[in-house]
Amino acid sequence: MPDALDLLKTRRSIKPIELAGPGPSAPEIDTLLTVASRVPDHGKLTPWRFIIFEGEARLAAGDAIVAAFRSKYPDAKPEQAEAERKRLARAPLVIAVVSRAGPHVKIPEWEQVLSAGAAAMSLVLAAHAMGYAANWITEWYAYDRGVLAALGLADNERIAGFVHIGRPVQPPEDRPRPPLNEIATRFARH
Ligand SMILES: Cc1cc2nc3c(=O)[nH]c(=O)nc-3n(C[C@H](O)[C@H](O)[C@H](O)COP(=O)(O)O)c2cc1C
């Protein structure tokens, strides 16, 4: 198990196609979701929920994706349609983080959306801490209402991310990170 700070300092996303099986077991998925749901949540609204895609269900979800794809691109080649069908079947496990943010008398919707982002990030970090790798992506189908309805989302719900989880087939190369002096300032009275 990596030291917590080392983990946070070295975490990297791995492409969905490079996330191999076997994926997390059922008890491990419970641990992932337990960590993901332990996030700051102003007003205790639980403005998010999770949908698990595993095994054959990933391709059943892919049927909805490919149907939406075909209606957008009726002339698409069969291999393109097949790739769309496999969108959620690249990694052994995909967990959708669904935002249920909405108008509230006291809690701004923005803060509810941020809480869903926190849940997605905690899910990514939990996967890494358990020795898996992850990738938080949305892609076009996260914004297609037809696909979302087929996946069981209500009209007021949105996808914060499809978090792909699996075992890295190779260690990732790092990418440049923003220099701290460009993103952080120390406040001083003007
Ligand atoms: C809300 C959200 C949606 C994202 N959607 C995509 C996506 O659709 N495709 C993609 O390649 N990366 C997407 N990313 C970026 C990846 O999660 C990841 O940050 C990127 O691959 C860089 O890797 P790193 O996490 O190692 O810095 C998204 C990130 C966020 C926060």
Side-chain angles (χ1 to χ4, degrees):
M1 287 291 150
D3 167 78
L5 260 186
D6 277 350
L7 174 92
L8 294 169
K9 284 160 79 179
T10 58
R11 180 211 60 81
R12 266 236 67 185
S13 298
I14 303 275
K15 289 183 194 144
I17 202 75
E18 293 175 2
L19 292 170
S25 64
E28 285 178 320
I29 292 173
D30 279 357
T31 302
L32 290 169
L33 296 177
T34 301
V35 174
S37 53
R38 193 182 180 90
V39 288
D41 167 11
H42 194 178
K44 303 184 192 73
L45 300 177
T46 321
W48 26 258
R49 66 184 181 94
F50 306 100
I51 306 173
I52 297 160
F53 299 91
E54 270 191 299
E56 285 300 306
R58 298 171 304 161
L59 289 173
D63 288 342
I65 295 174
V66 81
F69 179 76
R70 281 211 181 96
S71 70
K72 272 186 214 292
Y73 307 104
D75 300 329
K77 296 191 178 110
E79 56 269 29
Q80 287 175 309
E82 192 50 23
E84 293 298 335
R85 203 168 89 86
K86 291 185 181 148
R87 281 275 184 188
L88 294 178
R90 290 168 289 181
L93 172 67
V94 178
I95 300 180
V97 180
V98 177
S99 164
R100 316 197 270 192
H104 186 274
V105 282
K106 187 163 163 267
I107 313 299
E109 193 166 335
W110 164 240
E111 296 186 6
Q112 301 171 47
V113 173
L114 291 173
S115 184
M121 193 63 217
S122 287
L123 181 55
V124 166
L125 291 172
H128 279 269
M130 289 166 67
Y132 294 98
N135 200 336
W136 172 0
I137 58 175
T138 42
E139 300 187 321
W140 69 269
Y141 46 92
Y143 298 96
D144 185 289
R145 270 291 141 198
V147 172
L148 299 187
L151 299 185
L153 273 74
D155 289 348
N156 63 324
E157 295 184 319
R158 285 185 292 172
I159 291 289
F162 288 104
V163 177
H164 289 58
I165 298 169
R167 293 168 195 271
V169 291
Q170 57 188 29
E173 282 175 22
D174 207 358
R175 71 174 175 93
R177 302 290 163 175
L180 295 185
N181 63 3
E182 289 180 12
I183 54 165
T185 50
R186 206 170 294 279
F187 178 76
R189 195 183 293 276
H190 291 287

